Amino acid sequence: MIETLQLCPAGKCLQILTLTEGGFCDGVQRAVEKAMGAADRRPSREIFTLGEIVHNPLVVEDLRGLGIGAVERVRDVAPGTVVVIRSHGVAPEVMSELEARGVDVIDATCPRVRRVQRAAEGYRDRGIQVVIVGREDHPEVQGVRARCGPDGVVVESVEQAESLPFARERAVLFQTTFDPDHGAAILEALKSTATEVRVQETLCDVVAGRRNLVQEIATRVECMVVVGGKNSSNTSLLVNMVLEAGIHAFGVEDANGLVLDDFARFSSIGVVGGTSTPQASLDAVKEKIIEMQSGVDDG
Ligand code: SF4
């Protein structure tokens, strides 16, 4: 839902529009809670997440403060360590490698991602080639790709889709956070690459719901602040969406990225974040905007 805050600090009226549920999505919340729970229950054990738990440096830093580090490779963890698998999931080979290494695995793969993984396994077992519409370098896509068998492919553009050789049958899955409009264009292209194209809608409903609300806010404000990690794909998508709506968009990682001069001329501002942005960051940005506007001379 959209929440409106109406203020008149220093005589200048300001409207701030935010989302009531604008912080972490369920999958990220669950992964962060599992990591923190592990630190509570196993204070004497070393705990790492495999890859940064979310694409947000503040969250990674907070976890580090609780003694939860991040490693990029399985060989970097010692036997006996606790390793948390983040919401993106991993390839089965990675899971086997972790088990063989004698680490204690906590699997925080998001259930929505798990559904995509299972779909890929199902098509592979029936001998149907899987096409994943997504970014090849995204960890979620790599985990799904590893379950597609040898002929699974990843496409992230219409051109790549069109270049596939004609096949009798293909199945199409989507990276959960892929841009739905871009995904729809790729799917159209894929439909003419096989006699039968099976499509499983695997875009995340939380991301879709947030995009819709952000689009609505964009019609009601003069500018939008999008809070989130620079390397977060869904935060970048929100910034692009706001720009496409034709209003000013400011992408910041946290409240320190705000500059008074950017906002002095606006009287209605949207504050939103990606699914890897903690609510505390959004609240801090909102407070900083109010504080900055309070210091603006109306006359
Ligand atoms: S964006 Fe959706 S699929 Fe990804 S972790 Fe969050 S809830 Fe799960």
Side-chain angles (χ1 to χ4, degrees):
M1 275 170 52
I2 297 171
E3 194 175 64
T4 306
L5 187 67
Q6 178 85 37
L7 304 138
C8 290
K12 179 185 164 85
C13 284
L14 170 70
Q15 221 180 35
I16 299 180
L17 273 68
T18 55
L19 300 176
T20 47
E21 289 175 27
F24 290 155
C25 60
D26 319 343
V28 168
Q29 182 69 35
R30 182 170 167 273
V32 170
E33 281 171 6
K34 279 191 178 236
M36 288 179 169
D40 268 354
R41 284 192 306 277
R42 303 165 171 92
S44 57
R45 304 271 297 276
E46 276 203 301
I47 303 176
F48 293 99
T49 59
L50 191 57
E52 294 186 339
I53 193 143
V54 283
H55 302 299
N56 187 297
L58 298 177
V59 179
V60 172
E61 206 42 54
D62 280 353
L63 288 189
R64 196 161 289 136
L66 296 171
I68 305 164
V71 287
E72 291 304 323
R73 299 167 308 184
V74 174
R75 64 173 180 269
D76 293 337
V77 291
T81 303
V82 178
V83 173
V84 181
I85 304 298
R86 58 190 173 178
S87 57
H88 296 318
V90 291
E93 295 74 18
V94 175
M95 200 61 100
S96 309
E97 219 186 317
L98 285 165
E99 279 158 14
R101 204 163 171 79
V103 303
D104 195 353
V105 176
I106 296 178
D107 188 359
T109 304
C110 175
R112 289 171 173 88
V113 173
R114 189 68 196 109
R115 190 168 68 93
V116 193
Q117 294 176 344
R118 284 206 191 95
E121 288 161 353
Y123 288 123
R124 177 202 60 202
D125 293 348
R126 283 182 281 155
I128 301 171
Q129 186 192 27
V130 178
V131 179
I132 307 163
V133 177
R135 272 183 29 212
E136 189 145 29
D137 61 349
H138 195 282
E140 174 193 315
V141 171
Q142 290 167 351
V144 176
R145 169 70 188 79
R147 289 168 165 85
C148 295
D151 61 352
V153 285
V154 181
V155 295
E156 62 177 302
S157 69
V158 169
E159 294 70 34
Q160 283 177 349
E162 286 171 345
S163 70
L164 291 178
F166 195 79
R168 188 181 56 77
E169 190 176 14
R170 281 199 171 107
V172 181
L173 302 173
F174 296 85
Q175 176 186 333
T176 54
T177 50
F178 202 71
D179 180 339
D181 298 334
H182 191 194
I186 294 173
L187 178 60
E188 262 324 291
L190 285 171
K191 281 180 181 166
S192 51
T193 67
T195 310
E196 188 178 349
V197 176
R198 297 165 183 255
V199 183
Q200 191 147 338
E201 177 50 83
T202 55
L203 291 172
C204 173
D205 54 322
V206 181
V207 174
R210 187 163 306 187
R211 282 174 62 88
N212 290 342
L213 289 170
V214 170
Q215 243 156 1
E216 191 184 330
I217 291 181
T219 64
R220 292 162 53 181
V221 294
E222 295 162 317
C223 79
M224 188 89 90
V225 182
V226 182
V227 189
K230 285 198 172 66
N231 51 355
S232 154
S233 59
N234 76 82
T235 303
S236 311
L237 282 177
L238 290 183
V239 172
N240 290 340
M241 213 176 74
V242 173
L243 290 171
E244 277 165 21
I247 63 166
H248 300 270
F250 301 96
V252 295
E253 284 204 329
D254 56 39
N256 296 326
L258 298 171
V259 179
L260 172 62
D261 289 350
D262 290 340
F263 297 99
R265 62 203 153 113
F266 299 117
S267 57
S268 58
I269 302 172
V271 177
V272 296
T275 50
S276 53
T277 304
Q279 185 62 48
S281 287
L282 293 162
D283 293 342
V285 165
K286 203 164 68 178
E287 276 159 30
K288 180 97 180 268
I289 290 173
I290 295 168
E291 192 188 303
M292 288 192 313
Q293 292 276 23
S294 305
V296 173
D297 182 359
D298 199 28

